[in-house]
């Protein structure tokens, strides 16, 4: 074990305040949460915590300075009464730091910095501090079909390490949103709680549906006769095909609404949406029909109509 004074970078005659300030500075520098995946920083953090645990206790610091114990708190000479008193649970079976209020303040500092993921306490038998750290969060990406994202689904996510997670995708989730699965991240350190799995949802585009807020939009082709005479047509929705009526005399671009066929209502404060159907007139194979062409040649002269008049090109 290194000399605790060297670990903290203080002189042997350092005051309690000097030791406290050095510890806080180094603990912040080497804390595992600020150095993810850095095993050397983690070991340094443990060494700093162990050094502070010894030097912050006036009794243990004095015994270390006199050569009675080493940097781990173990006896250097056969003073068995001291060790036995401690081992048998006298004085509560644990060391009490020199200033319990100071220790509470320091724990509060780390709880503020790291969301309550730090715990440190001195254990019996001269052991160093026990560090309990929350495990790191793991990030994943999940690709979801457009309609599954609208209606909600449960989808299995294959993890790199061979495991799987069944992810409940809520209805109406939007592209780029992140789902949090509690306790599915990395395991904690020293009995600390595990981290979470953070799953970013990526939604595949749909060939004809588009989402605008909580509404769905779709363009539906209609024949010339359906547009002129009206009638019933079948249109797709998020829950399957439905029948709707096209009013007679409908032009391309006319929009019809299907109430409640948009994104379903979710949590309180988010109403459900509607589906908007925009008609698109397609002449189709009839464009080469000689009978249709002949009819239009005879019909057009008596029904003069300029659909481009609104463009302002008429003198």
């Amino acid at each position: 074990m290194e000399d605790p004074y060297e670990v903290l970078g203080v002189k042997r005659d350092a005051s309690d305040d000097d030791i406290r300030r050095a510890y806080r500075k180094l603990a912040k520098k080497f804390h595992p949460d600020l150095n993810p995946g850095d095993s050397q920083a983690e070991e340094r953090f443990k060494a700093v915590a162990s050094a502070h645990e010894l030097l912050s206790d006036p009794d243990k610091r004095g015994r270390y300075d006199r050569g009675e114990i080493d940097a781990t708190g173990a006896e250097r000479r056969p003073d068995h009464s001291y060790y036995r008193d401690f081992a048998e649970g006298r004085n509560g079976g644990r060391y009490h730091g020199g200033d319990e209020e100071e220790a509470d303040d320091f724990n509060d500092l780390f709880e503020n910095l790291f969301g309550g993921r730090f715990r440190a306490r001195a254990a019996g038998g001269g052991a160093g501090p026990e560090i309990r750290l929350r495990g790191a969060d793991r990030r994943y990406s999940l690709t979801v079909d457009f309609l599954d994202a609208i209606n909600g689904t449960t989808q299995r996510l294959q993890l790199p390490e061979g495991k799987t997670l069944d992810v409940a995708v809520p209805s109406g989730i939007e592209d780029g949103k992140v789902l949090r699965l509690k306790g599915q991240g990395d395991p904690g350190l020293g009995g600390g709680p595990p981290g979470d799995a953070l799953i970013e949802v990526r939604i595949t585009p749909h060939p004809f549906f588009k989402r605008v807020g909580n509404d769905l939009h779709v363009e539906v082709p209609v024949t010339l006769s359906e547009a002129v005479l009206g009638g019933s047509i079948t249109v797709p929705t998020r829950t399957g095909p439905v029948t709707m009526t096209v009013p007679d005399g409908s032009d391309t671009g006319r929009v019809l609404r299907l109430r409640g066929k948009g994104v379903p209502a979710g949590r309180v404060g988010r109403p459900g949406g509607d589906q908007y159907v925009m008609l698109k007139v397609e002449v189709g194979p009839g464009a080469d029909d000689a009978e249709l062409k002949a009819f239009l040649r005879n019909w057009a002269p008596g029904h003069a109509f300029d659909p481009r008049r609104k463009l302002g090109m008429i003198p």
Side-chain angles (χ1 to χ4, degrees):
M1 292 289 292
E2 296 180 76
D3 180 85
Y5 291 101
E6 294 180 0
V7 172
L8 296 181
V10 297
K11 297 180 179 180
R12 299 187 75 85
D13 61 353
S15 67
D16 291 342
D17 287 339
D18 291 335
I19 291 173
R20 186 188 312 115
R21 283 193 294 268
Y23 173 45
R24 292 185 177 184
K25 179 180 179 181
L26 294 173
K28 293 177 186 178
K29 179 179 179 181
F30 294 112
H31 196 283
D33 278 0
L34 300 181
N35 301 274
D38 188 339
S39 59
Q40 291 183 349
E42 182 177 325
E43 290 303 316
R44 202 64 190 161
F45 177 78
K46 293 179 181 179
V48 167
S50 181
H52 175 261
E53 188 272 333
L54 189 148
L55 296 182
S56 64
D57 185 320
D59 180 63
K60 286 193 286 184
R61 181 180 179 184
R63 300 192 73 223
Y64 176 78
D65 290 342
R66 293 191 297 271
E68 297 173 6
I69 60 174
D70 62 18
T72 67
E75 298 288 331
R76 287 187 182 274
R77 58 186 178 82
D79 184 2
H80 300 295
S81 60
Y82 179 85
Y83 181 83
R84 183 167 57 252
D85 287 348
F86 184 86
E88 292 177 356
R90 298 171 189 173
N91 298 321
R94 60 182 294 175
Y95 288 118
H96 293 280
D99 189 340
E100 293 185 3
E101 182 177 354
E102 172 190 319
D104 290 339
D105 290 342
F106 186 66
N107 280 340
D108 290 342
L109 169 67
F110 270 90
E111 289 194 10
N112 290 333
L113 284 174
F114 306 109
R117 291 175 284 174
F118 172 85
R119 294 291 185 277
R121 60 184 175 85
E130 177 185 345
I131 306 300
R132 295 182 66 246
L133 295 175
R134 178 182 179 276
D137 293 335
R138 299 294 298 271
R139 293 185 174 272
Y140 305 100
S141 180
L142 180 67
T143 301
V144 180
D145 178 78
F146 181 91
L147 290 180
D148 284 339
I150 297 298
N151 295 319
T153 186
T154 297
Q155 190 162 316
R156 180 158 294 180
L157 175 65
Q158 187 72 40
L159 305 184
E161 54 268 30
K163 299 179 181 179
T164 59
L165 286 177
D166 288 332
V167 182
V169 180
S171 62
I173 193 169
E174 297 177 88
D175 185 65
K177 292 294 185 181
V178 175
L179 300 175
R180 180 182 293 271
L181 272 62
K182 292 286 188 180
Q184 296 298 326
D186 287 344
L189 176 65
D196 301 332
L198 304 179
I199 303 172
E200 183 178 7
V201 176
R202 290 300 181 186
I203 300 174
T204 58
H206 197 274
F208 44 85
F209 279 116
K210 290 184 178 180
R211 177 176 179 174
V212 180
N214 285 336
D215 297 324
L216 296 179
H217 292 247
V218 61
E219 185 179 82
V220 176
V222 293
T223 65
L224 180 61
S225 62
E226 288 170 336
V228 173
L229 303 177
S232 295
I233 63 171
T234 300
V235 300
T237 72
R238 63 176 177 83
T239 56
V242 300
T243 299
M244 70 179 305
T245 299
V246 176
D248 58 1
S250 294
D251 287 329
T252 287
R254 182 166 187 172
V255 177
L256 308 176
R257 180 168 68 173
L258 291 172
R259 294 182 181 274
K261 289 298 184 179
V263 177
R267 54 188 177 275
V268 177
R270 194 194 74 183
D274 301 324
Q275 177 173 314
Y276 292 89
V277 178
M278 186 171 68
L279 303 180
K280 180 182 179 182
V281 179
E282 291 189 3
V283 177
D288 295 328
D289 190 302
E291 185 178 354
L292 176 61
K293 291 180 179 179
F295 167 77
L296 291 176
R297 290 192 186 99
N298 295 325
W299 177 85
H303 301 80
F305 171 65
D306 185 357
R308 294 171 293 281
R309 65 187 183 282
K310 296 180 180 179
L311 301 179
M313 297 185 295
I314 299 177

